[in-house]
């Protein structure tokens, strides 16, 4: 019998891998922009080159770690809430069935390290892993759900993430517009 807790550390490693790859890619882009705007040379008077890179890496790694941790928490909550609404499983067998799917994200996180030069590829790897994980979840628990419960579970996930992303984008555009409107032109 396989130990159910064997994969329990996969999400933390995955978050660290994605945070590291995105942080390195972001640091490279930020340094390029700082050099283009002529700010980087002024910063070198106060910090060493490696000190600037390390400080930026720590800052972005912390930021990405918080974002991915929040997304993981939200995703777990949505998954368990959808199972509460649509599954008749009261013992948590469905949660045990889908636990192995975290290996999909672990592999994707390792692949993201190879794509450090291409931030959009890292995002694409994350989105593909998310799609594969969702298909994995639906496949693993489909035997324990009725057809209508399965449709409800899929729609619940799709609608939640659509509304979440749409709301987040709306808030970002609203914030951007308010900042642009407040600038003296």
């Amino acid at each position: 019998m396989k130990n159910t807790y064997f994969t329990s550390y996969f999400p933390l490693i995955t978050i660290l891998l994605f945070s590291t790859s995105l942080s390195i890619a972001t640091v490279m882009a930020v340094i390029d922009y700082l050099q283009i705007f002529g700010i980087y040379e002024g910063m070198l008077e106060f910090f060493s080159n490696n000190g600037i890179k390390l400080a930026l890496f720590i800052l972005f790694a912390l930021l990405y770690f918080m974002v991915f941790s929040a997304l993981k928490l939200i995703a777990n909550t949505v998954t368990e809430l959808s199972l509460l609404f649509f599954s008749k499983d009261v013992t948590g067998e469905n949660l045990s069935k889908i636990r192995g799917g975290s290996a999909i994200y672990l592999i994707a996180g390792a692949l993201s390290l190879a794509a450090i030069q291409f931030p959009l590829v890292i995002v694409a790897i994350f989105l593909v892993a998310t799609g594969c994980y969702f298909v994995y979840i639906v496949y693993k628990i489909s035997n324990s759900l009725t057809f209508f419960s399965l449709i409800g579970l899929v729609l619940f996930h799709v609608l939640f993430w659509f509304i979440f992303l749409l709301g987040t984008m709306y808030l970002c555009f609203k914030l951007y517009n308010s900042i642009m409107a407040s600038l003296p032109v």
Side-chain angles (χ1 to χ4, degrees):
M1 182 172 199
K2 186 176 84 167
N3 188 342
T4 188
Y5 302 109
F6 178 71
T7 60
S8 63
Y9 59 91
F10 283 6
L12 176 63
I13 294 172
T14 300
I15 290 170
L16 290 173
L17 289 171
F18 273 112
S19 297
T20 300
S21 59
L22 280 171
S23 297
I24 292 171
T26 305
V27 166
M28 291 188 309
V30 166
I31 287 177
D32 287 343
Y33 281 118
L34 290 174
Q35 287 174 342
I36 289 170
F37 295 135
I39 300 171
Y40 193 70
E41 290 76 23
M43 292 174 70
L44 286 174
E45 294 177 13
F46 300 105
F47 292 106
S48 67
N49 185 29
N50 289 335
I52 294 170
K53 288 180 182 178
L54 182 63
L56 287 172
F57 173 77
I58 291 171
L59 178 73
F60 287 118
L62 183 62
L63 178 72
Y64 286 125
F65 185 84
M66 288 188 293
V67 168
F68 283 122
S69 296
L71 287 175
K72 168 82 171 99
L73 177 66
I74 293 168
N76 278 352
T77 304
V78 169
T79 300
E80 291 184 22
L81 194 59
S82 66
L83 289 173
L84 173 70
F85 291 153
F86 300 107
S87 175
K88 293 184 178 173
D89 172 34
V90 293
T91 60
E93 290 177 24
N94 283 336
L95 287 176
S96 296
K97 287 180 186 178
I98 64 174
R99 187 170 273 191
S102 60
I104 295 169
Y105 277 112
L106 183 66
I107 293 167
L111 288 175
S112 74
L113 287 177
I116 288 175
Q117 298 289 331
F118 311 102
L120 291 178
V121 173
I122 297 172
V123 173
I125 289 170
F126 179 75
L127 293 176
V128 167
T130 300
C132 292
Y133 182 72
F134 184 65
V135 169
Y136 176 83
I137 286 176
V138 171
Y139 173 74
K140 281 297 205 179
I141 63 174
S142 63
N143 293 337
S144 65
L145 299 175
T146 65
F147 177 75
F148 293 112
S149 294
L150 190 61
I151 297 292
L153 182 127
V154 169
L155 285 176
F156 184 80
H157 278 269
V158 170
L159 287 175
F160 173 82
W161 288 110
F162 177 74
I163 291 168
F164 180 79
L165 289 174
L166 197 65
T168 303
M169 288 183 352
Y170 174 76
L171 289 175
C172 288
F173 286 133
K174 202 73 164 144
L175 181 64
Y176 174 78
N177 286 336
S178 67
I179 289 173
M180 288 296 137
S182 69
L183 292 176
V185 178

